[in-house]
Amino acid sequence: MSTDPIDNLVANGFDSLESGNFDEAIKVGEMLLAKHHSSGFEILALAYGELGDTNRAIAILEEGTSKVPTVWILWRRLGNCRAELGLFDQAYDAYESALNCPDVDKSCVYLNRSMTEVREGRFDDALKTLDLVDDPRLPNRIESHRLDIYNRQGKHDLAIESGEALLSKVPASDDAEVRSMALVGIGYAYWRGKGDGERAIVE
């Protein structure tokens, strides 16, 4: 554990979120804001979002981005929350602001933007944005998202090809979540694209 009390508060806040103790997370978020630490905005927004109060989460993040406009994570979270309410133009504005911040993780922002474009039904744009994600830590996440987009476009042959390529790169013992997503995507492609229910179940 860190000897820095602020670091410990931040860790406690995210631990509380992960364990579903949102009331505690809110208390920690408020304590961090009282100490003028920007993580308070993020923790509060995440807690209220999990409690289903997206409007309040947006209000908190809008306050945060107005006070500390160089923190890209707040802009990204704001974009995601706006997208949840179908405020797509405002979401893209937030993502653009995130990209203009110093030390931004652009791949993270682009991946979130691509997901929002899928939510809006802009599948071609989502694929183009996904091509901008170049973080070497995210290849499996990128390909599973691409597989989902192909299925949504009705390009089931491409979905099967993409899913099988992903499975060949991810050992069964390595990433169960990614393999599960690939198998579901391939199965859906066989079912919807080829009418092959038996193959879909096998896959």
Side-chain angles (χ1 to χ4, degrees), residues 140 161-172 179 182 186:
N140 296 338
E161 181 182 337
S162 178
E164 290 178 344
L166 180 57
L167 287 177
S168 71
K169 293 187 294 186
V170 182
R179 287 187 62 85
I186 293 170

Side-chain angles (χ1 to χ4, degrees), residues 71-98:
V71 179
W72 70 271
I73 290 176
L74 297 182
W75 285 111
R76 178 180 67 92
R77 297 242 182 244
L78 179 57
N80 293 347
C81 287
R82 287 173 171 174
E84 284 183 27
L85 297 186
L87 303 172
F88 297 116
D89 288 343
Q90 294 179 43
Y92 298 132
D93 287 344
Y95 295 137
E96 194 62 31
S97 293

Side-chain angles (χ1 to χ4, degrees), residues 87-128:
L87 303 172
F88 297 116
D89 288 343
Q90 294 179 43
Y92 298 132
D93 287 344
Y95 295 137
E96 194 62 31
S97 293
L99 290 170
N100 288 324
C101 288
D103 302 318
V104 58
D105 183 341
K106 290 187 176 182
S107 286
C108 183
V109 178
Y110 283 133
L111 183 58
N112 280 257
R113 180 186 175 102
S114 180
M115 291 177 175
T116 294
E117 286 165 339
V118 168
R119 188 192 292 262
E120 194 181 3
R122 295 170 51 188
F123 303 127
D124 289 338
D125 289 335
L127 286 171
K128 290 176 183 176

Side-chain angles (χ1 to χ4, degrees), residues 27 32 34 40 65 68 76 79 84 119 131 133 139-140 159 162 164 190:
K27 290 178 183 177
L32 285 166
T65 53
V68 279
R76 178 180 67 92
E84 284 183 27
R119 188 192 292 262
D131 287 339
V133 181
N140 296 338
S162 178
E164 290 178 344
Y190 273 113

Side-chain angles (χ1 to χ4, degrees), residues 6-162:
I6 295 293
D7 287 347
N8 289 334
L9 264 182
V10 172
N12 184 25
F14 283 107
D15 287 345
S16 297
L17 287 168
E18 188 173 348
S19 65
N21 190 350
F22 303 124
D23 288 340
E24 178 64 21
I26 289 169
K27 290 178 183 177
V28 172
E30 290 173 344
M31 291 171 65
L32 285 166
L33 289 188
K35 296 178 181 295
H36 307 289
H37 197 282
S38 64
S39 290
F41 293 112
E42 184 181 10
I43 290 169
L44 282 172
L46 287 169
Y48 283 114
E50 290 292 341
L51 291 169
D53 196 344
T54 306
N55 282 310
R56 188 161 188 179
I58 287 174
I60 289 166
L61 289 166
E62 287 177 340
E63 179 185 356
T65 53
S66 70
K67 291 183 176 179
V68 279
T70 59
V71 179
W72 70 271
I73 290 176
L74 297 182
W75 285 111
R76 178 180 67 92
R77 297 242 182 244
L78 179 57
N80 293 347
C81 287
R82 287 173 171 174
E84 284 183 27
L85 297 186
L87 303 172
F88 297 116
D89 288 343
Q90 294 179 43
Y92 298 132
D93 287 344
Y95 295 137
E96 194 62 31
S97 293
L99 290 170
N100 288 324
C101 288
D103 302 318
V104 58
D105 183 341
K106 290 187 176 182
S107 286
C108 183
V109 178
Y110 283 133
L111 183 58
N112 280 257
R113 180 186 175 102
S114 180
M115 291 177 175
T116 294
E117 286 165 339
V118 168
R119 188 192 292 262
E120 194 181 3
R122 295 170 51 188
F123 303 127
D124 289 338
D125 289 335
L127 286 171
K128 290 176 183 176
T129 301
L130 193 61
D131 287 339
L132 299 173
V133 181
D134 59 5
D135 189 328
R137 298 169 298 177
L138 297 175
N140 296 338
R141 182 80 179 274
I142 294 166
E143 290 311 309
S144 61
H145 183 49
R146 194 186 309 277
L147 166 58
D148 175 62
I149 296 172
Y150 285 150
N151 269 330
R152 290 173 184 268
Q153 289 179 308
K155 297 179 179 178
H156 302 300
D157 286 336
L158 279 175
I160 292 168
E161 181 182 337
S162 178

